[in-house]
Amino acid sequence: MKRIVVLISGSGSNLQAIIDACQIGRLNAEIVAVFSNKADAFGLQRAQRAGIATQSLAIGDYADRQAFDRALMQQIDSYQPDLIVLAGYMRILSSSFVSHYLGRLLNIHPSLLPKYPGLHTHRRALDNGDSEHGVSVHFVTEQLDGGPVILQASIPVLPDDTEQDLAERLLIEEHRIYPQVIQWWVEGRLSLRGDRAWLDNEPL
C-alpha cells in the first residue's frame, strides 16, 4: 500500500476528505503522517482523531526558508512516503524541496489554473466578473501554482455570490476530485513526464 504524507496549514477539510476516502476504500493508500507549519492548525486534530502521526515545525525555529525546508524534508523522509500531498499548505516551497519530490508532489488550488495563481482567488474571480470559477489539482513544480494541471472542476458564479459562497461550493468539488487524482497516482496511472501530466499513457 502506498504511503502518503500530507502537508497542511489550516482546518484540513481536504485532509479529512482524503482520510475518509482511505477509510471507505475509495483511496487505496495509507496516510502515514500529517505535517503543519502551524501548531494550532485544526487539521492536526483531524489527523490525531484518525490515529495518524502529526508534527508541526515553526519557521521561527530555523535560520531561513532553506533550513526550514531541509528539516521538513528530513522529517518527512523518516516516514518513507511514496507521495506528498499539499492540502492547504500555505508556504512557498524551496526549489530543493520541489526537486526532491518532483513527480510525487501534488497540490490543489482554488482557481481554474492558469487563472489566478497565488492568493485571494475567489475575490479575483468576482472582481473580474467571471461567469465560472473552479479548482485545479496539479503537479508541483518550481513555478508557483504553475505545475501541469491534472484535473479541474468548475462551478457557475451566481449574481449574488460572495467570496464565502464560492469557497463553500468549491470545497464540495475539491473533496470530490482530490482523492480521485491521488488514487490515479497510487494506481500508477498518473505521472509527470517533462512538463506534462500523463494519465493512462496519454498527455493531459
Side-chain angles (χ1 to χ4, degrees):
M1 185 174 287
K2 297 295 186 183
R3 299 167 62 84
I4 297 174
V5 163
V6 181
L7 274 58
I8 64 167
S9 294
S11 69
S13 71
N14 271 301
L15 167 64
Q16 188 65 59
I18 298 165
I19 291 172
D20 293 345
C22 290
Q23 290 177 341
I24 66 174
R26 181 181 169 211
L27 177 51
N28 186 28
E30 178 187 7
I31 303 172
V32 294
V34 173
F35 285 79
S36 178
N37 62 313
K38 296 185 177 180
D40 60 351
F42 182 66
L44 294 176
Q45 295 181 42
R46 295 180 188 269
Q48 290 159 6
R49 286 202 299 262
I52 300 167
T54 61
Q55 293 197 42
S56 62
L57 286 77
I59 183 66
D61 293 339
Y62 299 90
D64 53 30
R65 183 161 63 109
Q66 298 289 342
F68 177 88
D69 277 6
R70 281 196 300 271
L72 181 59
M73 283 189 287
Q74 283 186 334
Q75 294 292 329
I76 289 173
D77 286 348
S78 71
Y79 289 93
Q80 299 181 299
D82 299 292
L83 181 67
I84 314 301
V85 172
L86 308 182
Y89 186 66
M90 300 303 290
R91 283 191 54 78
I92 296 174
L93 299 168
S94 64
S95 59
S96 59
F97 187 100
V98 173
S99 63
H100 185 63
Y101 299 111
L102 190 65
R104 53 196 188 105
L105 183 59
L106 299 176
N107 185 44
I108 190 162
H109 181 75
S111 80
L112 293 171
L113 291 172
K115 265 190 165 184
Y116 312 136
L119 301 175
H120 310 302
T121 59
H122 311 315
R123 183 191 311 164
R124 291 153 74 188
L126 290 172
D127 288 347
N128 287 330
D130 291 358
S131 61
E132 68 172 2
H133 188 37
V135 59
S136 306
V137 180
H138 65 96
F139 280 110
V140 177
T141 63
E142 290 188 33
Q143 182 182 355
L144 177 65
D145 297 326
V149 171
I150 301 161
L151 185 62
Q152 294 180 317
S154 63
I155 60 171
V157 178
L158 305 178
D160 296 328
D161 271 341
T162 65
E163 291 178 55
Q164 185 64 28
D165 294 332
L166 290 179
E168 289 176 358
R169 294 212 310 280
L170 269 185
L171 275 179
I172 297 169
E173 299 302 321
E174 292 179 29
H175 299 166
R176 179 177 65 85
I177 70 172
Y178 211 4
Q180 178 64 71
V181 169
I182 296 168
Q183 178 64 13
W184 286 344
W185 193 94
V186 164
E187 292 172 343
R189 298 171 57 192
L190 174 67
S191 62
L192 176 64
R193 304 182 193 177
D195 60 354
R196 299 288 295 274
W198 288 64
L199 180 65
D200 296 335
N201 289 314
E202 297 287 342
L204 296 173

